[in-house]
Amino acid sequence: MERCNIRRAEYPKPMIPGSFCSPELLAHIVYEKYAKAVPLHRQEKDLASKHIPLLKATMSNWLGNAAEKWCMPIVEEMHRMLLAGEVIHADETRIQVLHEEGRKATAESKMWVYCNGKLNDRSIVIFDYKPTRKGENAQAFLKGFDGYLVRDGYSGYHVVTGVKHCGCMTHVRRYFVNALPKDKSAQERSVAAEAVRYFERIYHEENLLSDMTAEERYEQRLAKVKPLLDAFFAWLETLHVSRKSALAKAVAYALNEKPYLYTFLENGNVPIDNNRAENAIRPFAVGRKNWMHRNTANGAKCSAALYSIAATAQANGLDAERYLTVLFSQPAGTILLPFNT
């Protein structure tokens, strides 16, 4: 009897052992959740409507694998590159983690965000989960950085040493907007409205400098923007306001931040405000309304890595889902940065 020689084709090794997960499917799940704010339970329902039985718990496990094996090594490299830059923006927002050792389920934790300046060729956005809002978290993340740190007036940032602190003009302006009288007929003549007009003039001059080189912007800021800032603070220091009013709070905030609101005048590459970080953290805040909380601290850390990758890819103009598909097609640990080549 002639021997039969049949060989079975080699079965592709699954990207996640014991699963049918593919790079395309995983990229789609990550993109939907971290770029479009679609929580896993909604994705589960959507897939079920297409007769694809994929449970939320399964997708959650896949996301943990994706974060730890593919994304975290890339975020570490992005972190190194961020610290080597000249400007870093920082901000933070709340997050609730249900099961964290030594903390109540109702305790408020923080998701910090750090990104480079908008004048860079390549954008970097990094989310960093921490249980608290203590300034030591920012100090630890920024260890080794000696450039310009753009942030709001939260006192915790003063813990960060070795950097040049820069205030946020938009944040100060917002305090005065919130101090406008509720009676619209009285707004135009109010002290708060006059403060807002100072900022309008400052931003008008600053916006005219957007296409200039850093050196040209530096010179024009000293000539056009600094006199307006000087005039604003000279006017502000003449005011006498009620200590318990919203206007008093705005005045106190502006005066406390005064030294840091002048720092941007030292370098044409330093922004006038922290809008870049506030814009970077907004998708997270939108998504938070849909998923409400994280189950564990490890899950929050994995989410931070996935948000970092998705946000950086989008900030660099990439098709985030396509980039993620290519990334997950590579061996785990591959450093494929989400930049335009």
Side-chain angles (χ1 to χ4, degrees):
M1 184 175 179
E2 186 177 349
R3 186 177 180 181
C4 182
N5 187 19
I6 299 176
R7 300 184 65 184
R8 185 176 66 179
E10 184 177 346
Y11 185 78
K13 185 178 180 181
M15 62 176 299
I16 298 176
S19 79
F20 59 85
C21 183
S22 69
E24 293 81 4
L25 178 56
L26 183 56
H28 180 73
I29 294 170
V30 172
Y31 177 73
E32 286 290 301
K33 180 170 184 180
Y34 295 98
K36 296 177 65 178
V38 181
L40 294 184
H41 70 272
R42 291 186 189 173
Q43 292 193 51
E44 179 182 345
K45 290 181 180 179
D46 183 58
L47 290 167
S49 70
K50 299 177 175 65
H51 306 290
I52 302 174
L54 186 55
L55 298 178
K56 171 186 172 181
T58 301
M59 289 188 281
S60 180
N61 288 333
W62 290 358
L63 292 179
N65 271 276
E68 293 176 358
K69 297 179 180 179
W70 277 273
C71 296
M72 287 184 179
I74 295 175
V75 174
E76 288 178 7
E77 176 62 15
M78 288 163 49
H79 187 187
R80 185 193 65 78
M81 297 173 68
L82 184 67
L83 296 181
E86 187 177 29
V87 177
I88 293 181
H89 294 257
D91 201 2
E92 75 289 330
T93 190
R94 60 183 174 82
I95 179 176
Q96 185 180 2
V97 176
L98 298 182
H99 301 100
E100 189 165 19
E101 187 177 353
R103 291 170 64 84
K104 295 181 180 179
T106 55
E108 187 175 278
S109 300
K110 291 295 177 180
M111 185 68 81
W112 298 68
V113 67
Y114 304 90
C115 50
N116 58 356
K118 63 181 179 180
L119 299 177
N120 287 271
D121 294 332
R122 292 174 172 176
S123 294
I124 296 175
V125 181
I126 298 178
F127 288 81
D128 186 42
Y129 168 74
K130 296 297 178 185
T132 70
R133 198 190 182 196
K134 292 181 180 179
E136 62 193 36
N137 295 317
Q139 171 72 357
F141 184 92
L142 295 168
K143 184 179 180 181
F145 177 65
D146 60 1
Y148 294 88
L149 175 62
V150 187
R151 79 295 184 278
D152 59 31
Y154 168 50
S155 60
Y157 287 113
H158 295 296
V159 173
V160 183
T161 58
V163 302
K164 296 180 180 179
H165 289 269
C166 307
C168 174
M169 207 74 69
T170 295
H171 219 75
V172 179
R173 178 186 179 277
R174 192 176 298 148
Y175 269 84
F176 286 100
V177 170
N178 292 337
L180 288 169
K182 294 181 179 180
D183 182 358
K184 291 186 177 181
S185 63
Q187 286 185 0
E188 187 67 21
R189 301 184 304 277
S190 68
V191 172
E194 181 61 25
V196 172
R197 283 191 285 270
Y198 271 105
F199 287 106
E200 289 174 350
R201 291 190 285 270
I202 289 171
Y203 269 97
H204 173 75
E205 292 298 334
E206 176 67 18
N207 291 337
L208 295 176
L209 313 180
S210 59
D211 294 329
M212 294 185 179
T213 66
E215 184 59 32
E216 291 171 338
R217 190 179 302 109
Y218 165 75
E219 294 174 355
Q220 288 301 307
R221 278 175 169 175
L222 293 180
K224 301 290 182 63
V225 180
K226 185 177 182 298
L228 294 173
L229 195 57
D230 290 340
F232 167 70
F233 277 109
W235 167 78
L236 197 67
E237 290 170 356
T238 66
L239 298 180
H240 299 282
V241 296
S242 172
R243 293 183 179 181
K244 295 184 179 181
S245 65
L247 180 60
K249 187 176 180 180
V251 171
Y253 183 86
L255 291 175
N256 287 338
E257 285 295 289
K258 180 180 178 180
Y260 314 114
L261 292 172
Y262 275 87
T263 310
F264 81 102
L265 296 171
E266 298 177 5
N267 188 317
N269 281 327
V270 178
I272 194 172
D273 54 41
N274 199 29
N275 288 357
R276 185 166 172 83
E278 292 192 0
N279 291 336
I281 213 166
R282 189 168 291 118
F284 177 88
V286 171
R288 182 179 57 209
K289 295 177 181 178
N290 294 332
W291 45 256
M292 301 300 291
H293 54 73
R294 283 288 176 267
N295 194 40
T296 66
N298 187 60
K301 292 175 183 177
C302 288
S303 288
L306 292 163
Y307 268 114
S308 300
I309 296 297
T312 300
Q314 290 183 305
N316 285 297
L318 298 181
D319 179 334
E321 187 170 356
R322 183 177 181 182
Y323 160 77
L324 288 165
T325 300
V326 174
L327 172 62
F328 296 145
S329 299
Q330 310 301 314
T334 300
I335 305 298
L336 180 64
L337 294 166
F339 300 154
N340 281 311
T341 55

